[in-house]
Amino acid sequence: MKLIIQIPCLNEAETLELALNDLPKHIDGIDVIEYLIINDGSTDNTVEVAKNWGVHHIVNFTQNKGLAKGFMAGIDACLRAGADIIVNTDADNQYCGADVEKLVQPILDQKAEMVIGERPIEETEHFSPLKKKLQRLGSFVVRKASKTNVPDAPSGFRAYSREAAMRLNVINNYTYTLETIVQAGRTQVPITSVPIRTNPELRKSRLFSSMGSYVKRSMITIIRAYMMYRPLTFFTVVGAVPFLIGTGIGIRFLLFFVKGNGMGHVQSLIFASTLMLLGFMTFIVGLQADVIAGNRKLLEDIQYRIRKMDYDKKMGKKDEEE
């Protein structure tokens, strides 16, 4: 059983060694532990720190491509290196390295294929009251969209089985945390959470420039993911709003018409017809999107099978060389 711990890095020379030193060197049930960093266009000596420490694998980007692309590049490299379990953590030592064992245990016990580390948000001192409320709200929305019970959706401290990792798809360029949970919930990947500890803050988060920007991008990510996996439900709800309003206005016109005052409210009839047509067309868009979503599922299954063949082939060649 091989575990690879991956760490996305962007100018992390000051904190990377501390984070690496905190990671476990042995876990019961794991035969081999290796470490991988994703150098997302760092301009400092992050790579040199990693090499000097003894990191086994390094994925290099010549320019910054963002957290989502870096995460997926790391997943690809881990799978090609033969990882049975992949753990993702941060280079700023936000998460307690010893808790990696907690993350992988549900996978080892075959109780889950994706495990999210639940941070003690209420006890985290460097989280402002507003950030704590937004974290709770965001996790609530993700739980509803994904039909899971993940209490800390934005947490980047998580573990994936090889099977779950091969099914991952991240479309947005912002972050992988929310989209992958919605995807896992809607594709019925077994997912669970475990309580973890956090370390004191060493630097401010670089993921977002302001709280407003974080909320905006997160909501767009959640809505987009929901649209991809439940398009008919989404567009039916959206289309029902103008359709019901138009129906109400239409009924109002009919009441005036029955009373003989219909000629004075022709504008209401036109407005009602427009709203009802808009609602109906939105529903039609939902039907088309649902057909596209069906094709997406087929493509994802094909992608999974191609990935499996590719990674297994790489592993076979590696075993022959050894």
Side-chain angles (χ1 to χ4, degrees):
M1 183 67 70
K2 185 175 186 178
L3 165 66
I4 297 183
I5 303 174
Q6 71 169 33
I7 309 176
C9 297
L10 174 61
N11 297 329
E12 306 287 1
E14 294 183 2
T15 60
L16 180 58
E17 186 174 0
L18 180 62
L20 289 167
N21 288 335
D22 197 39
L23 295 175
K25 307 302 184 290
H26 171 77
I27 296 175
D28 291 340
I30 301 293
D31 301 309
V32 179
I33 300 178
E34 294 181 355
Y35 311 90
L36 176 147
I37 71 160
I38 303 102
N39 172 36
D40 194 12
S42 297
T43 55
D44 63 0
N45 61 333
T46 294
V47 174
E48 286 73 15
V49 171
K51 288 180 178 179
N52 292 336
W53 189 87
V55 167
H56 301 81
H57 312 279
I58 297 176
V59 177
N60 268 311
F61 289 158
T62 55
Q63 64 181 26
N64 179 254
K65 293 189 177 182
L67 183 59
K69 289 188 179 297
F71 169 78
M72 287 304 298
I75 291 292
D76 178 69
C78 288
L79 290 170
R80 291 183 182 279
D84 297 296
I85 301 176
I86 302 169
V87 166
N88 187 87
T89 187
D90 285 356
D92 60 359
N93 202 37
Q94 175 186 171
Y95 308 108
C96 182
D99 288 340
V100 168
E101 185 170 1
K102 291 183 181 180
L103 279 183
V104 302
Q105 198 59 52
I107 297 177
L108 292 174
D109 294 339
Q110 297 185 346
K111 294 180 178 178
E113 292 186 19
M114 179 175 174
V115 185
I116 312 295
E118 178 189 353
R119 296 168 293 178
I121 293 176
E122 294 302 323
E123 289 76 36
T124 304
E125 295 182 358
H126 60 270
F127 280 8
S128 66
L130 176 59
K131 185 172 182 177
K132 291 177 181 179
K133 290 180 180 178
L134 290 174
Q135 292 276 15
R136 290 196 298 269
L137 176 61
S139 295
F140 171 78
V141 173
V142 171
R143 285 196 297 274
K144 293 300 181 182
S146 63
K147 289 191 175 181
T148 64
N149 59 355
V150 175
D152 186 10
S155 172
F157 195 41
R158 47 183 66 189
Y160 300 89
S161 70
R162 185 175 180 83
E163 286 294 308
M166 284 193 288
R167 294 187 179 278
L168 285 177
N169 283 297
V170 178
I171 305 301
N172 78 89
N173 295 322
Y174 175 52
T175 180
Y176 62 90
T177 56
L178 308 179
E179 183 177 346
T180 50
I181 293 176
V182 175
Q183 181 187 90
R186 292 299 173 180
T187 55
Q188 298 182 335
V189 172
I191 181 172
T192 190
S193 294
V194 294
I196 59 166
R197 297 163 291 174
T198 56
N199 297 315
E201 185 180 38
L202 297 179
R203 60 164 175 77
K204 295 295 183 182
S205 173
R206 298 170 180 166
L207 186 59
F208 52 91
S209 56
S210 66
M211 194 61 65
S213 173
Y214 172 74
V215 173
K216 178 183 176 181
R217 290 189 175 189
S218 296
M219 291 306 300
I220 291 175
T221 299
I222 294 169
I223 292 172
R224 187 177 181 184
Y226 191 80
M227 285 174 60
M228 285 192 295
Y229 291 96
R230 292 296 297 275
L232 184 57
T233 301
F234 177 83
F235 284 103
T236 297
V237 172
V238 172
V241 175
F243 187 85
L244 292 175
I245 293 175
T247 300
I249 296 174
I251 292 173
R252 175 176 175 271
F253 171 80
L254 288 176
L255 292 175
F256 280 115
F257 182 79
V258 170
K259 293 179 181 179
N261 298 325
M263 294 302 295
H265 299 276
V266 175
Q267 299 90 336
S268 296
L269 178 60
I270 296 173
F271 186 46
S273 301
T274 302
L275 289 176
M276 293 176 70
L277 181 61
L278 177 62
F280 179 73
M281 292 303 298
T282 303
F283 175 71
I284 296 299
V285 170
L287 290 175
Q288 294 175 329
D290 193 56
V291 172
I292 295 173
N295 289 331
R296 176 187 173 85
K297 291 177 182 178
L298 293 175
L299 290 173
E300 286 182 341
D301 186 58
I302 293 171
Q303 181 188 54
Y304 164 76
R305 294 175 185 275
I306 292 174
R307 281 177 173 175
K308 187 173 178 61
M309 292 171 58
D310 183 29
Y311 295 138
D312 288 349
K313 185 177 180 180
K314 294 287 184 182
M315 284 300 299
K317 287 184 178 181
K318 189 174 181 180
D319 291 339
E320 289 178 4
E321 291 174 357
E322 292 176 351

